[in-house]
Amino acid sequence: MNPLFTPPLYMQRYQFVVDFVRRHKPKKVVDLGCADCSLLRKLKFHRDIELLVGVDIDSAIIRQKMYTLAPFPTEYLKPADQPLTIELYQGSVTEKESRTRGSDLVTCIELIEHLPLAEVERFSEVLFGYMSPAAVIVSTPNADFNPLLPGCSGFRHIDHKFEWSNSDFQNWALEMCRLYGYVVEFTGVGKAPCNVESIGFCSQIGVFHKGSFRSGTFVRSDKTENTSSYKLLYNVVYPSLCDNNIFQRTLVNEVLYWAEHIKRKWLEASGEEGAGLHGLQDALQGDSRVVLTGDSLAVVLATSEEEETDADEEWEECSGPVCVESVKCTVDCTEDWEAEL
């Protein structure tokens, strides 16, 4: 049987959010009702995001997939320019949590219909009033579309507490705008057949943003409050060049890589590898300060007796504890670096 929508409807919803993120480049994104973290796995590749937060009431479903958000090994070899932190919480979307405030974007993808109608007002107050993000994306099933879905005789999912018609959803959205100072744009995914376009999309979407919002910019709330009701399940910080240790390692790797690259190019330009090495040896032997070992594999920089004496005197004049500490630090750092490699 051919699918009703291509690509599947859930993929179209995720792609809608991804496209929004590409256009507006939010820094902090919160996904309410993140479930198995499918949307978060797509958003983590957009490195304009610096903090990615997922929240769901079901901790078991988060734990099943949370490690799929860990950095790939290649991300340690080639760190991004900007940092990325991912946090996953167990908590109710009807409870206030200070760590979700000040967001650039909050997504609620197929979430609101899973709440009892009595809790929708509380959820709306927390989302638009307390969290007060710069932008919100809410998607929910369009009940008007249900008669067109094969085998759908009631709600689309057994856990749905209600499903809004197109007019119900728009009335709720406009009321949120009136109460909390947002404006909304209505759209959706899953187009209806040409002869019934008036019923709207299969999944209706409202894109809310603050009245002071402009395309590509976000206005964050400066309010702070120590309210914590969520349980942290997972936290990971991606490697980035903003970390001095990672920056130094990356720099050393780049230097070693290009040194090897230049060496190979030089050997290729010199003809056969053996001839190239002999040519390099001849050039080095032309310098009186250079002596090759018997096997011609090592280079020794010769120094005069006077230079050696000066070097010994400088070492003796150096303060004992300071010199020892400096040497110890260098050795420790080298050992750590080799262990990490």
Side-chain angles (χ1 to χ4, degrees), residues 23 43 52 57 89 161 187 219 225 228 270 330 335 337:
R23 291 194 306 271
L43 294 179
L52 197 54
I57 192 67
Y89 294 95
K161 307 303 188 294
T187 182
V219 179
E225 182 179 340
S228 180
S270 301
T330 304
E335 290 175 351
W337 166 240

Side-chain angles (χ1 to χ4, degrees), residues 11 59 64 72 107 162 205 282 290 292 307 341:
M11 292 183 64
S59 63
Q64 287 176 3
F72 294 122
T107 59
F162 64 90
I205 296 176
D282 294 340
V290 175
L292 296 180
E307 290 174 337
L341 284 179

Side-chain angles (χ1 to χ4, degrees), residues 78-127:
K78 192 173 179 62
D81 294 334
Q82 298 298 325
L84 169 64
T85 300
I86 299 179
E87 299 173 351
L88 301 178
Y89 294 95
Q90 177 194 15
S92 170
V93 296
T94 62
E95 296 294 329
K96 295 179 179 179
E97 169 55 58
S98 59
R99 287 172 288 191
T100 61
R101 305 192 75 187
S103 303
D104 297 318
L105 172 65
V106 173
T107 59
C108 310
I109 307 302
E110 308 296 288
L111 165 68
I112 196 170
E113 66 275 5
H114 292 270
L115 302 175
L117 271 171
E119 295 184 6
V120 171
E121 183 177 351
R122 173 66 175 168
F123 164 73
S124 304
E125 178 188 347
V126 170
L127 173 59

